[in-house]
């Protein structure tokens, strides 16, 4: 959410004299994150109550701040009341979607809210179907059907702290925006999510095979497991193919000793090779260029420092990724495919066919530069190929708007 002005309240007061306890509360208010609306409102109320009646100009500043915060909270409540509201929150608050240097911004597409993301998703699916149009061989036709049937049996999983489960069972799993709109509370969302994507109106999940074991998750040792349909993902949710912030697409590595095998790493290649030295050949690499950021956006002048920092980040990201691509290379044979920011979205009914087409596309791309590894992949069954997709090709995050009801049978504990 956004502050009323870029100027901290302490600086708005200028030379006005206020008591030490008021000054302390003002310092607290200015130090709150932009998204902490409930705490902002409570702190402003304390300041208002501490001010003497004679402090007229200061009262007026506090009144304006309170009015603004109340308006932001009111919008959050309205956005949290419908399945499409969180999408409206994204295009209203998300810096990426309105960034003038982003080729597929809301103005260029001519849509906002869910209609905007539906359009990005449709274009993404259409692009993959076009790429795969030549895949009419019996294996591709049969595997497409098997992949779709198998994927519909996969699940979404949400990790959390064990002591938060009772509240979730009673009130449902809530998005950050819903928590803030209801009463405020702790959350682990980062400023990039608050400002660049503004996807705080969604509950986050991993997408996995039902038989997958527990992750080593920083979010906690309890997990909630729901079917794709049951969770609401395929009717009202969306998927980002990989995290927008880090864009940490796995790098594919091939082992040439018999039998040929393929795996991936996302961090240090050196560290990866220490543990798996037999995987010597790098088959796929995500590439982007260093772009030159345009002059500072005029809209930055009215933003808080927190929001300005994220604007600078996303403007640099948009420039760096104008030509983002996956490079497939084996020896002298090389191929590239675009991997642009706008291709990172699949919504609702597009999710299953979109992920299926991505599996088939990856097998075809790899076969183009490395037929032997392509044959290894074509020898896998649908479940194995989907695991390959979710671990070695992309790292999707699934999101369902507002809140999700769960039962005790949906929760598992690590120990």
């Amino acid at each position: 959410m956004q502050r009323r002005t870029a100027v901290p309240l302490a600086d708005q007061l200028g030379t006005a004299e206020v008591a030490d306890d008021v000054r302390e509360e003002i310092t607290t208010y200015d130090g709150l994150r932009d998204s902490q609306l409930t705490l902002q409102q409570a702190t402003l109320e304390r300041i208002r109550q501490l001010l003497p009646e004679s402090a007229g100009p200061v009262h007026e500043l506090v009144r304006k701040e309170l009015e603004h915060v109340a308006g932001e909270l009111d919008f959050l409540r309205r956005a949290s009341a419908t399945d499409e509201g969180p999408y409206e929150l994204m295009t209203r608050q998300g810096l990426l979607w309105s960034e003038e240097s982003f080729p597929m911004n809301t103005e260029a597409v001519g849509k906002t809210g869910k209609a905007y993301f539906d359009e990005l998703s449709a274009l993404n699916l259409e692009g993959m179907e076009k790429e795969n149009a030549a895949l009419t061989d019996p294996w591709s036709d049969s595997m497409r059907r098997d992949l779709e049937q198998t994927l519909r049996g996969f699940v979404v999983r949400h990790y959390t702290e064990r002591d938060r489960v009772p509240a979730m069972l009673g009130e449902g799993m809530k998005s950050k925006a819903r928590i803030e709109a209801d009463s405020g509370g702790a959350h682990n969302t980062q400023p990039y999510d608050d400002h660049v994507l503004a996807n705080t109106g969604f509950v986050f999940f991993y997408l996995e095979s039902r038989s997958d074991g527990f992750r080593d998750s920083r979010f906690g040792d309890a997990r909630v497991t729901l079917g794709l349909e049951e969770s609401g993902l395929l009717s009202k949710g969306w998927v980002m193919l990989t995290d927008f912030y880090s864009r940490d697409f796995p790098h594919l590595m091939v082992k040439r000793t018999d039998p040929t095998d393929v795996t991936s790493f996302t961090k240090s290649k050196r560290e990866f090779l220490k543990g798996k030295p037999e995987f010597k050949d790098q088959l796929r690499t995500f590439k982007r260029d260093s772009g030159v950021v345009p002059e500072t956006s005029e809209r930055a002048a009215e933003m808080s420092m927190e929001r300005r920092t994220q604007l600078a980040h996303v403007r640099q990201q948009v420039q760096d990724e104008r030509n983002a691509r996956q490079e497939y290379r084996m020896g002298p044979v090389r191929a590239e495919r675009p991997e642009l920011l706008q291709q990172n979205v699949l919504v609702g009914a597009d999710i299953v066919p979109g992920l299926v087409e991505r599996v088939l596309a990856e097998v075809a791309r790899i076969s183009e530069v490395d037929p032997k590894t392509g044959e290894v992949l074509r020898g896998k069954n649908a479940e194995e190929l989907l695991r390959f997709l979710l671990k070695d090709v992309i790292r999707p995050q699934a999101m369902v708007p507002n809140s999700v009801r769960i039962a005790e049978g949906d929760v598992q504990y690590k120990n």
Side-chain angles (χ1 to χ4, degrees):
M1 307 305 287
Q2 301 180 38
R3 293 278 188 160
R4 184 179 71 88
T5 172
V7 182
L9 183 55
D11 292 344
Q12 292 181 56
L13 294 178
T15 59
E17 292 189 9
V18 294
D20 289 345
D21 54 355
V22 173
R23 183 70 65 182
E24 185 177 334
E25 292 288 356
I26 290 172
T27 299
T28 297
Y29 174 73
D30 286 340
L32 292 172
R33 281 180 55 179
D34 292 0
S35 61
Q36 294 177 296
L37 297 173
T38 304
L39 288 175
Q40 289 176 28
Q41 187 176 57
T43 307
L44 287 168
E45 285 291 355
R46 289 197 300 272
I47 294 170
R48 186 179 62 80
Q49 292 168 11
L50 289 170
L51 286 170
E53 289 299 323
S54 59
V58 180
H59 269 293
E60 179 62 14
L61 280 175
V62 173
R63 184 195 66 77
K64 289 179 179 179
E65 293 286 325
L66 269 169
E67 186 177 80
H68 174 79
V69 172
E72 294 289 275
L73 270 171
D74 181 63
F75 175 75
L76 266 193
R77 293 184 181 111
R78 286 185 283 112
S80 300
T82 68
D83 291 338
E84 296 199 351
Y87 293 96
E88 293 289 343
L89 176 61
M90 287 174 73
T91 55
R92 169 175 160 165
Q93 300 282 356
L95 293 168
L96 172 60
W97 320 118
S98 58
E99 169 53 39
E100 57 263 31
S101 63
F102 178 43
M104 293 296 288
N105 63 39
T106 51
E107 184 176 354
V109 174
K111 297 177 181 179
T112 60
K114 189 169 185 294
Y116 169 74
F117 294 100
D118 284 341
E119 182 72 9
L120 294 187
S121 177
L123 291 171
N124 191 9
L125 177 56
E126 181 183 325
M128 286 188 284
E129 289 175 337
K130 185 176 181 180
E131 179 180 348
N132 292 344
L135 302 180
T136 57
D137 59 288
W139 180 87
S140 296
D141 290 342
S142 175
M143 183 53 69
R144 182 178 279 109
R145 292 190 295 270
D146 290 349
L147 286 167
E148 179 160 344
Q149 181 179 359
T150 302
L151 182 55
R152 290 187 183 279
F154 271 43
V155 297
V156 290
R157 285 191 166 120
H158 178 92
Y159 281 76
T160 189
E161 297 291 344
R162 186 181 298 251
D163 59 7
R164 297 183 65 182
V165 171
M168 290 181 172
L169 289 171
E171 302 173 2
M173 302 165 61
K174 295 183 179 182
S175 69
K176 176 182 177 178
R178 173 61 70 84
I179 291 171
E180 193 64 39
D182 287 351
S183 58
H187 207 278
N188 51 31
T189 303
Q190 300 301 309
Y192 184 92
D193 292 308
D194 287 335
H195 295 288
V196 176
L197 304 181
N199 58 351
T200 56
F202 297 86
V203 182
F204 286 49
F205 294 89
Y206 294 111
L207 179 58
E208 299 182 341
S209 168
R210 186 175 289 276
S211 61
D212 283 350
F214 270 82
R215 294 171 178 253
D216 291 326
S217 174
R218 63 186 174 88
F219 299 116
D221 60 353
R223 72 179 186 188
V224 176
T225 301
L226 298 168
L228 302 191
E229 292 281 3
E230 178 190 7
S231 68
L233 177 66
L234 303 185
S235 58
K236 56 188 178 183
W238 69 287
V239 165
M240 63 172 78
L241 299 189
T242 197
D243 181 66
F244 269 97
Y245 177 76
S246 60
R247 295 277 279 170
D248 55 348
F249 286 98
H251 302 290
L252 288 179
M253 302 293 291
V254 176
K255 179 182 74 170
R256 288 297 172 204
T257 54
D258 191 46
T260 296
D261 198 4
V262 61
T263 188
S264 65
F265 71 93
T266 56
K267 304 299 181 184
S268 165
K269 184 176 181 179
R270 179 180 297 179
E271 290 302 313
F272 168 81
L273 289 174
K274 284 181 181 179
K276 296 184 176 181
E278 67 275 19
F279 286 87
K280 296 179 180 179
D281 296 323
Q282 187 158 339
L283 177 58
R284 190 189 78 163
T285 306
F286 177 59
K287 293 197 166 185
R288 48 194 158 190
D289 307 313
S290 295
V292 178
V293 179
E295 294 183 8
T296 304
S297 173
E298 292 182 3
R299 59 180 179 159
E302 294 303 314
M303 293 180 182
S304 68
M305 180 58 71
E306 179 182 309
R307 192 165 174 82
R308 278 203 306 275
T309 299
Q310 295 306 316
L311 177 64
H313 178 101
V314 75
R315 285 168 67 79
Q316 183 66 62
Q317 182 178 17
V318 167
Q319 294 305 311
D320 291 349
E321 299 210 21
R322 293 184 81 84
N323 190 35
R325 65 239 180 241
Q326 299 287 359
E327 180 187 74
Y328 302 79
R329 182 192 292 270
M330 189 53 59
V333 185
R334 175 177 168 273
E336 287 188 345
R337 297 294 189 278
E339 192 76 73
L340 304 175
L341 284 168
Q342 61 264 32
Q343 295 175 299
N344 205 34
V345 172
L346 288 170
V347 178
D350 291 344
I351 293 171
V352 169
L355 292 176
V356 167
E357 294 301 326
R358 184 60 187 256
V359 174
L360 296 174
E362 287 294 327
V363 173
R365 295 171 185 181
I366 290 167
S367 298
E368 180 181 341
V369 301
D370 185 1
K372 187 172 183 179
T373 301
E375 283 304 310
V376 169
L377 293 175
R378 289 169 70 92
K380 295 180 181 293
N381 62 34
E383 169 103 8
E384 291 168 335
L385 278 178
L386 286 167
R387 287 174 178 270
F388 169 70
L389 173 77
L390 301 179
K391 173 185 173 292
D392 297 311
V393 176
I394 57 177
R395 296 288 174 89
Q397 296 180 30
M399 279 154 281
V400 179
N402 294 321
S403 62
V404 180
R405 304 295 299 186
I406 62 172
E408 287 188 16
D410 300 323
V411 185
Q412 303 89 42
Y413 300 95
K414 190 169 186 178
N415 296 311

